[in-house]
Amino acid sequence: MLRFGILSTAKIGRELVVPAIQDAENCVVTAIASRDLSKARAMADRFSVPHAFGSYEEMLASDLIDAVYIPLPTSQHVEWTIKAADAGKHVLCEKPIALKASEIDALIAARDRNKVLVSEAYMVTYSPVWRKVRELLKDGAIGRLRHVQGAFTYFNRDPGNMRNIPELGGGGLPDIGVYPTITTRFVTGKEPLRVQATTERDPEFGTDIYSSVRADFGDFELSFYISTQLAARQVMVFHGDKGFIEVKSPFNADRYGSEELELTNQNHSQSQLFRFQDARQYRLEAEAFSRAAIGEKEEIVTLENSVNNQKLIDAIYRASEKDGWEGV
């Protein structure tokens, strides 16, 4: 059993990742750390976790854990990933693991010098829904892929929320723009060449709240929009010359709908529905990470993959400042 320590009592850890690890077959949470010991103890008691620490450093120095899950504000991901790796711990860090592709070089160096596993927590890449999309595309189910279309939106104007605070790494592209990009790259195995984009910022917060993006992958295009101040919506569609695949609630099925995709043929006379009941993508992520951490062969999100995804996000920001294409 890989023993996880949780670095902070953040909401995503409390509500999604810690329960998933506790439910997993090959890993367990053995410690919670917070800068407030009472918060760490309260969360540890809630999930029957045996150990609580009143500082991150104390937990990293402990031999009670083998790996660390980091759900800190985005601006702290690089710093604490390096500290955890230097403490000899494997690291599963929430997305985005960095705010610029160049920052990930230091993480690769920390991973390599400490011989630990470091991975960005894109739970979607472990989901049976997205593995089925990849399989269908590979099998030619929709013929030649020509266009991918996506949307991911929610409404949040809470000034105290980290997503609306630039200093904490807030903004729509770091929070949700990474999902249409990582999933498209995951299922196609292709990388973008250039991008066009329009981005709007909140006049009060200064964070990016809306982006409309067009990315050229050579053989096909990806177009998507994201927003932190629109009615909630998620969709991804892969359109080919022989049919199309629609992923109904591609990123947060528990909140946006059922875990399913629909394959429709060329003349719209036939469709197949693939439904995945209770897929538990966070549990699958934890189990895959744990297998890879002990040396088993497993497909995970590598830091090299993270670099390529962040390069696209970086290019979207640059493209938003100009009229025309920007190279990735």
Side-chain angles (χ1 to χ4, degrees):
M1 298 286 281
L2 193 75
R3 301 170 302 167
F4 270 95
I6 311 301
L7 208 69
S8 97
T9 57
K11 181 179 179 181
I12 188 172
R14 294 195 315 269
E15 296 191 355
L16 297 171
V17 180
V18 171
I21 295 173
Q22 296 294 65
D23 191 39
E25 294 183 353
N26 58 352
C27 52
V28 67
V29 178
T30 57
I32 306 286
S34 172
R35 292 188 174 100
D36 182 335
L37 181 57
S38 64
K39 289 184 177 180
R41 281 224 168 92
M43 184 168 165
D45 290 344
R46 173 180 171 182
F47 293 104
S48 300
V49 172
H51 304 286
F53 292 94
S55 77
Y56 303 153
E57 293 87 351
E58 187 181 2
M59 187 178 75
L60 292 182
S62 170
D63 61 2
L64 295 169
I65 63 169
D66 311 303
V68 174
Y69 167 66
I70 301 178
L72 292 166
T74 300
S75 60
Q76 300 176 36
H77 285 178
V78 170
E79 173 190 359
W80 285 99
T81 295
I82 293 173
K83 287 181 177 179
D86 284 342
K89 311 302 183 186
H90 303 294
V91 183
L92 179 64
C93 181
E94 263 311 320
K95 41 61 50 187
I97 201 167
L99 289 167
K100 291 184 179 179
S102 58
E103 296 177 344
I104 302 175
D105 292 341
L107 304 183
I108 293 174
R111 175 197 68 187
D112 292 348
R113 70 173 171 264
N114 294 292
K115 295 180 173 54
V116 294
L117 177 66
V118 179
S119 183
E120 191 171 12
Y122 281 115
M123 74 292 183
V124 287
T125 63
Y126 305 93
S127 166
V129 176
W130 282 106
R131 305 229 166 173
K132 185 63 177 180
V133 173
R134 183 170 64 176
E135 176 189 320
L136 290 171
L137 291 177
K138 183 179 179 181
D139 291 345
I142 63 169
R144 179 189 173 194
L145 175 65
R146 293 301 307 275
H147 195 91
V148 181
Q149 184 181 37
F152 190 170
T153 61
Y154 61 78
F155 194 93
N156 181 343
R157 290 212 80 252
D158 175 7
N161 190 289
M162 62 159 283
R163 293 165 183 80
N164 296 319
I165 303 174
E167 296 77 16
L168 296 182
L173 285 168
D175 188 39
I176 54 179
V178 294
Y179 281 113
T181 58
I182 191 72
T183 50
T184 298
R185 294 177 51 252
F186 175 73
V187 298
T188 65
K190 302 287 187 179
E191 299 292 348
L193 306 173
R194 55 182 186 161
V195 65
Q196 290 179 328
T198 299
T199 295
E200 176 187 342
R201 292 183 179 273
D202 186 283
E204 178 183 350
F205 302 143
T207 52
D208 56 287
I209 59 170
Y210 172 84
S211 288
S212 178
V213 179
R214 177 188 178 196
D216 175 16
F217 279 72
D219 295 335
F220 65 91
E221 285 189 340
L222 162 66
S223 65
F224 70 89
Y225 65 90
I226 59 102
S227 178
T228 60
Q229 293 185 25
L230 281 177
R233 183 180 185 230
Q234 290 185 6
V235 68
M236 288 288 286
V237 179
F238 296 79
H239 204 149
D241 58 357
K242 295 182 180 179
F244 64 89
I245 300 165
E246 182 175 356
V247 187
K248 302 294 187 176
S249 48
F251 312 121
N252 302 110
D254 54 334
R255 283 171 283 172
Y256 285 74
S258 56
E259 296 173 289
E260 62 184 34
L261 61 91
E262 187 171 8
L263 170 64
T264 302
N265 67 353
Q266 187 182 63
N267 64 4
H268 224 275
S269 64
Q270 187 178 46
S271 66
Q272 292 177 269
L273 190 65
F274 298 86
R275 181 169 291 158
F276 302 86
Q277 301 285 56
D278 195 23
R280 301 188 185 185
Q281 57 187 359
Y282 288 99
R283 172 180 168 171
L284 295 173
E285 174 186 64
E287 291 177 341
F289 176 88
S290 298
R291 286 191 292 270
I294 64 171
E296 294 184 18
K297 188 175 182 180
E298 183 63 61
E299 182 181 10
I300 61 158
V301 178
T302 66
L303 288 178
E304 288 76 11
N305 189 344
S306 296
V307 168
N308 288 337
N309 206 62
Q310 189 59 44
K311 280 183 177 178
L312 177 49
I313 300 300
D314 293 349
I316 292 170
Y317 277 120
R318 296 196 304 271
S320 298
E321 302 297 324
K322 62 186 288 187
D323 184 14
W325 291 101
E326 173 68 25
V328 178

